[in-house]
Amino acid sequence: MNKDRVEGKVKDVAGRVERQAGEWTDDPKTQVKGAAKQAEGKVQNAWGKAKDAAKATVDDAKASSKPPQREIDAEDADAKEARRRS
């Protein structure tokens, strides 16, 4: 989770509270300001999610581009040891 997601969620919640306060006090100006802040928070949160998804994709691509490591089982180890001794 990155900074944009956290800040976006905070703005979303603050906007909801402000909008609700405007509804309770019958103040359309406060309602609009709260709705705008809420929308801004949702957009910032979505941007943060997109950045996280892109980072995860890059990390997955880096992980899958490494050559596979060969596992050595017990028989291979014994065979190598026998060759080394002879």
Side-chain angles (χ1 to χ4, degrees):
M1 183 174 270
N2 64 34
K3 178 181 156 186
D4 286 315
R5 288 183 69 181
V6 173
E7 288 179 2
K9 195 63 173 174
V10 169
K11 285 180 186 177
D12 181 19
V13 171
R16 286 182 197 191
V17 169
E18 189 173 359
R19 182 179 50 84
Q20 189 64 46
E23 288 178 13
W24 288 338
T25 60
D26 201 26
D27 182 3
K29 196 178 225 182
T30 304
Q31 288 179 23
V32 170
K33 281 176 53 180
K37 188 182 285 185
Q38 187 177 1
E40 181 183 353
K42 287 185 184 292
V43 169
Q44 189 172 6
N45 191 10
W47 174 248
K49 285 181 182 180
K51 285 175 34 177
D52 282 346
K55 184 180 181 321
T57 301
V58 168
D59 291 346
D60 288 347
K62 284 181 181 177
S64 66
S65 67
K66 293 180 182 175
Q69 298 294 320
R70 182 167 174 251
E71 292 183 22
I72 299 176
D73 60 8
E75 289 179 25
D76 286 344
D78 291 340
K80 279 185 178 181
E81 184 65 26
R83 276 186 259 138
R84 189 176 64 80
R85 288 183 183 177
S86 51

